[in-house]
Amino acid sequence: MLVLVINSGSSSLKYQVRDTAAGSRLANGLVERIGDASGGHPADHGEAIEQVLAELEGALGGRSIDAVGHRVVHGGERFGAPVLIDNEIVRAIERLAPLAPLHNPANALGIRAVTAKWPRIPQVAVFDTAFHRTMPEHAWRYAIPDALYTEHGVRRYGFHGTSHDYVTGLAAELLGIERSRFNAVVAHLGNGASVTAVRGGASVDTSMGYTPLEGLVMGTRSGDLDPSIVTQLIVRGEYTAGDLDRILNQDSGLKGLSGNNDMRSVVEAAAEGDDGAELALAVAAYRLQKYIGGYHVAVGGAHALVFTAGIGENSWPFRERVVEGLGALGVELDRYANVRRSGAPRVISTPESAIPVLVVPTDEEAQIAAATAALCGG
Ligand code: AMP
């Protein structure tokens, strides 16, 4: 099956074409500045889709697209698995906009643009939140008045689910453990970062919450903090809610502590003796260590600790820093295996390590394509 995978944002649209039988990628690209009237950019998502089709011409060797898979950020409480899209599903995605105001409306625009162009092609929505629908209530509830949940939907949803799901499957396979019996702590460390407790192959807790702000120290996001910081600063009248939203999402994390949001630069600066960069690494690693310890308990003993995404796959110094602090769990890194570059799923701990430490490259598009093919009979 040829699946066009679309990740549509408010002003950009990323795409890939995957052959799900061959497991290969035939094309990929990015349409930017949608709605920017200057300089011949697409006026709307419909024109962006036209541009994608023009770019695909000649790239598919005469074959045509069989189905379209869309990344959708928020599936709320309703969607716990990928779904075949119809009108009602698009409206449901739009109704979830209050929970993901920057993403869901844009995701729906991408779906509507494809429908307008190809009314008969099957389309599937794959949700970032869906993998976490298996969390038990004690993990997804915040200890706040019930009405905030029942009337406003304030609860933990979790994100990066497509990646956590994909990586969990590959890690279980690599270790030869049946997925339904596989327990793990999976750390997706990219510019956004989250860690998930996996029990029996399913998510039982995750560090991102009502929004992707909670949890780990990220490129520009603070992760966990005392909510009174926000209320007190507003009450004092020095900051507005909008200021703090921007500060916590865009100016915090590695960037807040070191001035730089890119892990490569932070590691380099720390090696050159920059105190802010060293502190940023220390805070980020310590936060992750606390989650790993907690989630090891939450899953009833993990069979593996798994690293993925930009930092998890590539930054051996950060992995080393994190695992060095896990001595109490009996985890031991193989220093040589840790620094070796590879694009393959691999073990980076010693045979003596109490549990194996893995690096498993993520591939959200492959997961979306596979889910789309599965629902469309491919
Ligand atoms: P992602 O959001 O998954 O693309 O990850 C982005 C993060 O991965 C950034 O902080 C990058 O600095 C980091 N990253 C990407 N490539 C490398 C690399 N080769 N070494 C260290 N960090 C990397």
Side-chain angles (χ1 to χ4, degrees), residues 188-192 219 254 261-265 267 309-312 314-317 341 362:
H188 174 113
L189 311 178
N191 200 33
L254 298 178
N261 68 295
D262 189 287
M263 183 55 92
R264 277 166 293 206
S265 313
V267 167
I311 296 167
N314 298 299
S315 184
W316 68 262
R341 292 207 147 272
T362 192

Side-chain angles (χ1 to χ4, degrees), residues 9-13 31-35 45 106:
S10 53
S11 68
S12 70
L13 192 151
V31 179
E32 287 181 290
R33 301 174 72 172
I34 300 171
H45 284 70

Side-chain angles (χ1 to χ4, degrees), residues 117 138 246 252 264:
K117 180 75 198 157
H138 63 252
R246 181 177 42 73
S252 297
R264 277 166 293 206

Side-chain angles (χ1 to χ4, degrees), residues 267-300:
V267 167
E268 276 166 29
E272 285 161 12
D274 183 295
D275 289 340
E278 176 57 33
L279 179 65
L281 292 177
V283 175
Y286 177 63
R287 181 83 51 85
L288 178 53
Q289 287 156 355
K290 288 201 290 186
Y291 271 99
I292 292 169
Y295 285 179
H296 188 46
V297 172
V299 303

